[in-house]
Structure formats: structure tokens, C-alpha cells
Amino acid sequence: MADITIRGLPLDSVPAWAVLERRLFADIEEAWRLFSRRYTGDDGGILFPAVFTDRDGVDDLYEPFFNWPAFYLLGGSDDVLAAAKRHWEGVTAQLEAAGMLTDEYENGYDWFHQGESLLFFYGLCAADPSDEAFARRARRFAELYTDPARGNYDPEHRIIRAPHNGALGPRPGLGDTVEPYPAAPVEMERYGLPLEGVPGITTWADVLDPANALAMAEAMQQAAEGDVVVNLAATSLVANRWLYDGDPVAADWITAYVSAWSERAEANGGLVPDSVALDGTVGGLHGGRWYGGHYGWTWPHGLPSVGMATIVSGLNAALVTGDDRYLDMGRRVLDAVLEQAIVAPVTETTYSLRGGWLARLGADAARPALLVPHRFGAAGWFDFAPMPLELPTWLWWWSRSEADRARLQRVRDGLPATTEPVKAFRDKAEAGHEAPWLDFLDGRLPDYPERALEMALGQVARRIALILADDSDPATVHLHFWQRVNPVVTEILTQLVSGAPQVLYNGGLPFAAVDYEDAERRRPGLPPDVAALVTAVERDRVAVELVNTSPIHSRRIVVRPSRSRGDALVGLRYETEPGAVFPGASTAYAATRAARRTESLEVAGDGVEVDLPPAHHARIELVLAVGAARPRHRGTSPDSDQNDTIDPVEQMKERA
């Protein structure tokens, strides 16, 4: 529990953002229950026949629930956590019955999709680390990679042995049978040739010939062995296990595997290659070329998959070692494409995923923007589009370094000019509003919380309307349908409440700047009626405003640095008079309130308890010792807190 308690101050008026935030919590509570009633059975599984003809599709049944555990951790009800567990177990049984899983884990598929599947599982582990069933699963799943006897990992060459891997070990090729490459669907042409250098095939038109379509499929099957860069996302599975108990085998595996890819990047001039043959040679399956691997630089997406895998793995290695240099591989990926950047409107590009950017940008897509190449092939860099902002955002958010912030700012400044920074869109990753959030933290968009929460409420309402209007037969709908109507909205809550970007969708672990605990119910998240707003995120301090919106009920809440980052609390500043502002708060707040007396304390404890009588608020600043505590899964305080924490004050003195 917290070692210090402070009392909030009376409100003159309840802030609009606080009212909107609590309304969003309430609407989501109704919405997820509606979704469960309409689309799931008594066992928690999706109302879908779950008949699969190839290895694809496992992720699509988990993804509709990916952010439900995150909603619980932010302050959602106990019921949503119970429902999330039931749905995970129901979908898992459903997929196992369909022959897609073995011992509750995917038989073997690429890590672009496995990463998406596992977001739900990682969220459940973080939401309730005391659940021994999920803890056992976390250990068992990680051993698929840390135990060489399971076959997935070759410790001699430090590679995962195939692009498709999982419960059945490294699986041969890309399918159990070789079928002609499906060149006919129009939507596949935008991705181009999946493999370069196949004799007789140089253009898309060549693949329309049935003989060439079969030749392409056979070549892809033969090249699908050895390691590929997206396999780096497997480090999250192992890091998730490490967060339970600091298992040294898990940490060593992560550092060894990430280091191997980092060394290959160094040997390749700094830019990570995308494939390694079974003998450990880069390009051994592609005529010596460092590009061309499955879900690599050439096909199908390039930067979004390569960049996310390198950053996710860098974060995981930094997590278990405390060394941010493991982020360098991901940094160089972003720097390499930025060196090739051009300025042009998105509407004038032929980018393969242009439709997503047109939806995000709206009319602004016709304005000039900084475009980077997303892919590399025999003809060089191609497929230009804006850089996904979540990639440089996560690098900065973790390191809080000036260099990472400068890169982020360059990408942010390269987005097209706009008169509407908070756009009403939502895709399955539920990301894309990093730019206005960053503007808020910098004091350039002070009304972002209100505008973003209004937008999020609109997204929930739209999803509810789609569910209420749906009279389709679940057996006939597209496999992606349930993702499209998932009414749980967490991106804005994650930013405002926990001070973090939305989770990286292809396999990132859930991190936060701030954790909360309902002091009365002894469970994670905000208490009922309480709204939170993180107003500053810096390397060694985080500023938070708390509001009890209830005019009747008192609430008590513990605020602490996030356990998932391993930061320790060493100091506290808090408001002692209405209207006071502490150093480090958002400049928007400082500009509207005259600075008054604040209290500053040295604290060597787990967190601070805030007592909020009805219609009271508190503004506090947590002063941090970065990396002074062993990271672990979030949750209520375990009895072993002191055993996991070194003296943060002494560590700060040593670093100084």
C-alpha cells in the first residue's frame, strides 16, 4: 500500500473532460455487454462455425476482445474482466476443436498475425497476474521458444527455424498443401509479387498464367524456412512470462535473440535484413539478397511489419535488461526510411494501403506530407506513405530521450496541415491519434481531452448502432466482422488515464506511465466516479490530475509509477491551494492558473494514496527513479514489493 496520503481540494466546477471520461466508462460498460449477448455463446466462444481451410484465421477470433482487459485495468468493472477470461477460454476451445490450436496455442503461423492474436492474452495476464491458470499458460507458451527441445528455436544459430512456428514447432512452408498463388483477386495486386526472382515471372500479369501461379506458390513454399524478421515479435511471449517472476532463462533468451538480429543489422550497414537461412546466413534463401523474406521488406507491408517487430523486440530487451540501446535496431529502421523521404500528398501516391490513410486524413490527404518508402525490392525503395506515427512515438515514450523526441517531432511535423486535429476514425488497431495527444502534452492543444473524449463517445455510439442494426447470420459474415463492431474503445483512455500510447498492435506488451488502484476495493484501475488526466510525461516525472465527479461519495485511490516500466517513486509534489500549479505540468494548465504554494516531499515508497471527498480534485506530480524497480505485471501490491526494489534515492545519487 501507499506510504503517504494526501487529501484533495474542493472543486469550484467539475471539468468537462472528467464528466466525459466517466460517461465513456459508462457507455463502454453497456456496449461490451451488448456485444457479448449478440455475438457469443454460453461458453464464451464467437457464434461462428469456425471452419478453416488453411492456417490463417486464428487471430480474427481473438482480436474482437483485444482491449477488454485494458479497459478493466483502466477502471472497467470486475464483470468485464470475468467476461474477457470467459471469451478467451471459449474462443480457445472453439479453435482447438477446429484443429487450429494444440494445448491452447496456435499450431504455427507467422508472427505478424500471432502478435495480433496474443494481444488479448497479454492483456489478461497484465490485468490479473494472480490468476494461476493464465500464469501457467504464460510459462508454458514461452517454453515453446526458450526450450530448444520444442524445436522452434536453434540456440546455435540463434534463429527461429521457420516463418510459421508455434505449438507444432517449425512448420514446413506456408501451407499444408501447395495451391496456385491467388493472383486473380484485385485486392492482392496492390501488394505486388510476393517473391522476386522466380524464373519467368517479372510482372503481376505473369502470375495470371496458371502455370506461373503454381510456380510462384512452389517457390514461396521452398523459401519458407529459416528465420524472418517478424519472428522478433515472439520476444513478447517470453517477456510476458518474465514479468511474472523475472525468470533469468526468459531474459537470456530475449537478449540472445534480439542481439543476433542486431548483429545482422550491423553487418548489413545498420539496416536490419529480413531473412536468415537455416545455416544462419542472411539472404541464404534469396540469392544472397538481404531482403525478400516473408512479411519482410519487400512483401506485403514492409515498414509497418518490420518496424513494429524491431521496436517491439527492442522494448522487450530493454525491459528485461534496463538497457535502451536495444532500441537502436528499430531506430535505424526509421532513420533509414526517413533518409529517403519525399514531400507529396497522399492522394498522389500509389501506396498499397493508401485507403487507410485516406480514411484517417480525410480532406487533408490532398495536402503535402512527408512520405517515406515502406518497402524495398530489386528496384530499390518504393511504396511511399506517411510513417506510422506509433513507431517513433513508442521509441520516445520508452526512452524519453532528446534524440528520439527529435525524430518523433520530424515525423509529426511532416503530417499534412489540418484544421481538425482530432479526427473521427477508428481502425482495428485503434491507434492514430498520437499527434494531437502529443500536442496536448506540449501545451499546443489544451482542449484535446474534451475533443478526444467526444470523438471516442461517438465511436462507441457508432459501434452500438451497427450491432443494433445487425440481423445477419453469424455463420455467413466475414471473419473480420466482429473486429469492426468491437465497441470497447481504449486508445483515448490509455492516453489520458495511463499516459501511454495505444499498444503496438502486432504483438506489443501493454505498458503505462501511471498505475492506479482503488484503495477501497483493492483492485487495479480508477474507482467509480473518479476521472484521471495525465498532463505531463517526462523521463523522471509524470503529472496527473484526479477528479471525483460524485457529489455524494468519497473515493480513495492509490497512484504509483507503472510497475510495467520498472520506475520507482522517489518524490512527490502536490497542490495545497485551489488553482496551484506545480512545475512540470502542462503549459496549458500553467498558462491559465497563477502558480501558488506546492508541497514537495521525498518518498521512498510504492505510491501515494489520494483521499477525494465528494466534488474534490487533486493535482500531483510523481518524481521517478527510472528503472529502479524490477518491472512486473501490474495489479494490486504484492507482499514482495520491497524485495523487488532497490533504494531509488541512492540510485539517483549514483547516476547524478
Side-chain angles (χ1 to χ4, degrees), residues 95-154:
L95 289 167
E96 191 141 16
M100 300 296 283
L101 310 183
T102 299
D103 294 332
E104 299 186 311
Y105 195 84
E106 184 157 6
N107 290 338
Y109 200 44
D110 65 73
W111 269 92
F112 182 86
H113 290 93
Q114 282 200 60
E116 295 177 337
S117 296
L118 286 162
L119 288 182
F120 188 18
F121 179 72
Y122 299 153
L124 286 168
C125 293
D128 187 6
S130 65
D131 188 320
E132 185 54 36
F134 279 92
R136 286 194 300 269
R137 290 172 177 130
R139 292 188 286 269
R140 180 160 49 88
F141 295 169
E143 287 170 359
L144 292 170
Y145 296 88
T146 60
D147 181 359
R150 302 306 300 266
N152 285 305
Y153 184 67
D154 173 2

Side-chain angles (χ1 to χ4, degrees), residues 37-52:
R37 289 194 300 270
R38 175 67 178 87
Y39 297 122
T40 69
D42 292 340
D43 64 350
I46 293 279
L47 296 176
F48 175 69
V51 176
F52 300 91

Side-chain angles (χ1 to χ4, degrees), residues 124 397 504 534 615:
L124 286 168
W397 185 88
L504 287 169
V534 173

Side-chain angles (χ1 to χ4, degrees), residues 377-410:
W381 291 105
F382 68 106
D383 222 12
F384 283 76
M387 178 183 289
L389 195 58
E390 60 264 34
L391 300 182
T393 297
W394 267 103
L395 285 175
W396 161 78
W397 185 88
W398 183 270
S399 74
R400 318 279 165 85
S401 76
E402 293 183 5
D404 287 335
R405 181 60 195 225
R407 181 190 301 104
L408 170 59
Q409 196 59 44
R410 181 185 176 192

Side-chain angles (χ1 to χ4, degrees), residues 25 52 59 105 209 245 357 597 627:
F25 272 102
F52 300 91
D59 56 307
Y105 195 84
D209 177 270
D245 58 11
W357 277 107
R597 184 170 63 88

Side-chain angles (χ1 to χ4, degrees), residues 51-64:
V51 176
F52 300 91
T53 58
D54 56 29
R55 298 175 184 175
D56 187 22
V58 167
D59 56 307
D60 296 312
L61 292 192
Y62 286 118
E63 286 177 270

